[in-house]
Amino acid sequence: MWNVDISKSEKLWSSLIKRFNRQQLSRVKGMLSNLASSHPINASPDQRQKVENIWFPHLPSQPWCEPGALLWSSILEKNFKVFQSSLEMVLSDESLLHSYETRNNLGQGWKAFSFMRDGVWQLEACLKHPSIVRVLDTLPLYPGDIMFSLLEGDTFIPPHFGLSNLKLTMHLGMKVPTGCSICVDKETGYWEQGLTLVFDDSFIHSVDNPTNQRRIIFLVDVWHPNLSNAEVAALRYLLPKLRRSLY
C-alpha cells in the first residue's frame, strides 16, 4: 500500500485546491488522508475488493461491467482489424515481447508487448504502431497498462488483486483458444475474438489457459466510470506527483 507522510499529503491537497474546486474533491481528499494514515485502508469492508497501492473511498463498484454499457468497448471492437494488423507485426519478431513480471511473481508464462507500463508510455512501441495510438487517443486512458497480453498454453495465473480501484480493465479478444477463462469475484468469463470483456481488477481475479495454444488479448486500463470529471482531472494532476514522491 502506498504511504505518504502527513506533511506531504497536506502539501498535495493545498496544491490541488489551488487548481480545482475543493467542493468537488471530497473523495480525493479522503484518498490522500488514507495514504497518510498510520493504518491505511486497502480493502472494502467485505474484503471482496483489495488494492496494493491506492484505495479511493466511496466509489461504487462491481466485478464485471456489461461491455455494451460502455462506448469505450465498442471503440475497441470497431477497430479490431487495426489491432489485428499490429499484432501480426509484433508476432513477426517475438524478441520484442517481455515477460510480464509482477510484484507477486505472477508472470511465468505471461508475456506482453506494452504501449504503456505502470503509467509510462513506451515510446518505441507507440512510434511503430501509430494506428493503435490513434485509437487509444479516443479513450479515457488511466495511467496503468496498455498492451498485447500473451498467455502461453497450460498456464494459470493465481488469484490476485490489482493496484487500485480507480480504473476498469478492458480486454479485446485477439487469439482465443476455446476453454480459456478469467474468473473475477467467483464469476467466470470467456473471451471471444473481436469482443471485449470489462472488469474491475480490484476484485480478486485469476486467469486460466488450459489449452496447448497461446491466448492473446489486447489490454487497456480506463478511468472508472463512477469517478466525476472533476475527480479525474484532479487525479491526472495528482498521481504523477504521488509516484515521484514514492519512487
Side-chain angles (χ1 to χ4, degrees):
M1 184 72 181
W2 282 3
N3 185 259
V4 296
D5 60 48
I6 294 175
S7 62
K8 181 67 176 179
S9 175
E10 291 174 346
K11 287 179 182 178
L12 288 170
W13 176 245
S14 296
S15 178
L16 273 179
I17 60 177
K18 288 178 182 177
R19 292 166 173 79
F20 304 98
N21 185 341
R22 66 186 300 160
Q23 294 179 337
Q24 298 176 315
L25 301 181
S26 61
R27 294 194 297 185
V28 176
K29 185 176 183 180
M31 182 195 82
L32 280 173
S33 297
N34 183 51
L35 290 175
S37 170
S38 58
H39 300 287
I41 297 168
N42 72 335
S44 61
D46 60 10
Q47 297 292 305
R48 292 175 63 206
Q49 286 178 278
K50 188 175 181 180
V51 300
E52 289 190 31
N53 289 348
I54 299 178
W55 180 258
F56 193 87
H58 311 299
L59 186 65
S61 300
Q62 56 188 8
W64 289 97
C65 178
E66 285 295 328
L70 292 177
L71 171 64
W72 317 329
S73 294
S74 64
I75 290 173
L76 291 185
E77 292 172 359
K78 288 176 182 177
N79 286 279
F80 174 73
K81 290 185 178 180
V82 171
F83 293 98
Q84 195 173 44
S85 177
S86 285
L87 177 61
E88 290 174 2
M89 291 174 59
V90 170
L91 295 179
S92 69
D93 182 5
E94 296 204 7
S95 67
L96 299 174
L97 301 176
H98 62 88
S99 176
Y100 190 79
E101 297 177 355
T102 69
R103 291 171 179 82
N104 293 325
N105 195 28
L106 299 173
Q108 302 238 345
W110 187 3
K111 298 178 182 178
F113 180 86
S114 294
F115 293 85
M116 180 186 287
R117 181 75 169 105
D118 288 337
V120 178
W121 286 104
Q122 306 301 297
L123 296 182
E124 186 175 350
C126 293
L127 289 172
K128 286 183 177 180
H129 301 272
S131 57
I132 282 188
V133 175
R134 284 193 289 271
V135 176
L136 295 174
D137 281 343
T138 66
L139 301 174
L141 300 176
Y142 174 81
D145 286 336
I146 303 172
M147 63 186 181
F148 285 114
S149 172
L150 302 88
L151 196 66
E152 301 297 346
D154 194 26
T155 298
F156 176 70
I157 299 175
H160 61 287
F161 297 94
L163 300 181
S164 83
N165 63 332
L166 291 169
K167 63 186 176 69
L168 295 182
T169 298
M170 299 198 300
H171 286 181
L172 176 66
M174 302 301 304
K175 294 180 181 291
V176 187
T178 301
C180 296
S181 64
I182 176 170
C183 182
V184 183
D185 194 38
K186 299 182 181 180
E187 183 179 343
T188 301
Y190 299 89
W191 299 278
E192 295 182 48
Q193 181 174 294
L195 299 179
T196 55
L197 290 178
V198 185
F199 63 99
D200 184 334
D201 78 350
S202 63
F203 288 86
I204 193 166
H205 57 288
S206 60
V207 177
D208 190 21
N209 179 2
T211 76
N212 60 3
Q213 302 174 61
R214 178 186 275 171
R215 181 235 61 181
I216 307 176
I217 54 98
F218 187 81
L219 179 154
V220 56
D221 290 330
V222 294
W223 290 100
H224 198 293
N226 287 329
L227 292 166
S228 69
N229 290 337
E231 288 170 333
V232 169
L235 289 164
R236 286 186 192 277
Y237 170 81
L238 178 62
L239 291 181
K241 295 181 178 300
L242 272 174
R243 280 195 171 104
R244 284 198 295 271
S245 71
L246 293 164
Y247 297 109

